[in-house]
Amino acid sequence: MQLLQHLQQTHAVSQLSVDLFHKLSYRESPDGVLALAKLPKWRIEDISFKNPPFILILNALEKPGNIGALLRTADSVGVDAVILSGDGADLYNPNVIRASMGSLFALPVLEITACELLSWLKIQNIKVVAASPEAEKLYWDQDASQGIAIVLGTEHAGLDNFWSKKADEWLKIPMQGSADSLNVATSGALILYEVLRQRRTKLD
């Protein structure tokens, strides 16, 4: 109530007609409140990374729900930053925001060019580890004790040519049944939590 009163006093609140409100709202059954906010603009130079750094790179992911789910997982395991590389879904697509359950705004998420990102990773001595079903090393055999950037690509095409050539190491998730792949959000969750498990084990 105090927030509403403050907004009304500063003329930051407007009342809309029902028809206009429903046109602006993405949801079918909105709660009756819309907010206009300035989008956060992160620069990689402004991010405080832990020692060792822990980064997630999403390469051209197309499904907003997968991006949102991965942001939620990244937030849960304590990733320092999530970086989008390549052409993919809009970071602020409503389905990304919904699937992230607020995690989009809880950790640094940025979009920069692949070349700029790789140059920064090299300077920081952060290893680029890519996920692929063609890799030989299993994901739990990957040493995650040093600075690491996990790169995930699309389910149907994998990583683009840039990251396929620039990755330092490759890992895979073992598949025992008839399915030949996992949803990228599920794959990412397994790998990210393995990094967290290894680092907690070393701390203990």
Side-chain angles (χ1 to χ4, degrees):
M1 183 61 69
Q2 290 181 344
L3 175 60
L4 178 58
Q5 291 175 347
H6 172 72
L7 293 174
Q8 289 173 334
Q9 291 171 358
T10 56
H11 304 287
V13 174
S14 297
Q15 188 168 354
L16 305 177
S17 68
V18 174
D19 289 341
L20 179 56
F21 183 88
H22 280 283
K23 286 183 179 179
L24 292 174
S25 175
Y26 181 76
R27 299 180 60 185
E28 293 183 1
S29 301
D31 296 325
V33 177
L34 289 174
L36 180 64
K38 184 178 181 180
L39 296 177
K41 292 293 183 181
W42 286 97
R43 297 188 311 162
I44 199 166
E45 297 86 359
D46 299 330
I47 299 172
S48 298
F49 290 91
K50 295 189 294 289
N51 186 21
F54 184 10
I55 300 168
L56 174 62
I57 301 171
L58 305 181
N59 178 213
L61 297 194
E62 300 168 341
K63 296 180 180 179
N66 283 335
I67 297 175
L70 284 164
L71 289 173
R72 190 176 179 185
T73 301
D75 184 17
S76 299
V77 302
V79 163
D80 294 315
V82 178
I83 302 174
L84 275 62
S85 169
D87 296 327
D90 178 9
L91 177 59
Y92 294 100
N93 181 292
N95 285 327
V96 173
I97 297 172
R98 178 185 297 177
S100 79
M101 296 297 289
S103 291
L104 172 60
F105 306 107
L107 75 166
V109 184
L110 61 153
E111 299 175 85
I112 60 177
T113 66
C115 290
E116 180 183 1
L117 174 55
L118 182 64
S119 176
W120 183 88
L121 292 171
K122 295 294 185 184
I123 292 173
Q124 300 299 322
N125 196 31
I126 297 174
K127 183 183 297 184
V128 177
V129 179
S132 170
E134 306 301 324
E136 296 183 2
K137 181 185 291 185
L138 297 179
Y139 76 98
W140 54 63
D141 292 329
Q142 173 64 46
D143 181 10
S145 61
Q146 304 300 316
I148 191 169
I150 303 295
V151 190
L152 302 176
T154 62
E155 294 171 29
H156 66 281
L159 300 179
D160 62 20
N161 289 332
F162 181 90
W163 291 110
S164 294
K165 295 177 180 178
K166 300 300 183 181
D168 298 308
E169 294 189 25
W170 293 83
L171 54 80
K172 70 176 180 180
I173 296 170
M175 305 293 295
Q176 301 297 314
S178 58
D180 60 0
S181 65
L182 291 173
N183 172 274
V184 67
T186 302
S187 300
L190 288 170
I191 296 169
L192 294 177
Y193 267 97
E194 173 59 20
V195 174
L196 176 63
R197 185 196 67 81
Q198 288 189 27
R199 293 187 175 187
R200 285 182 63 89
T201 300
K202 289 183 179 297
L203 289 175
D204 294 341

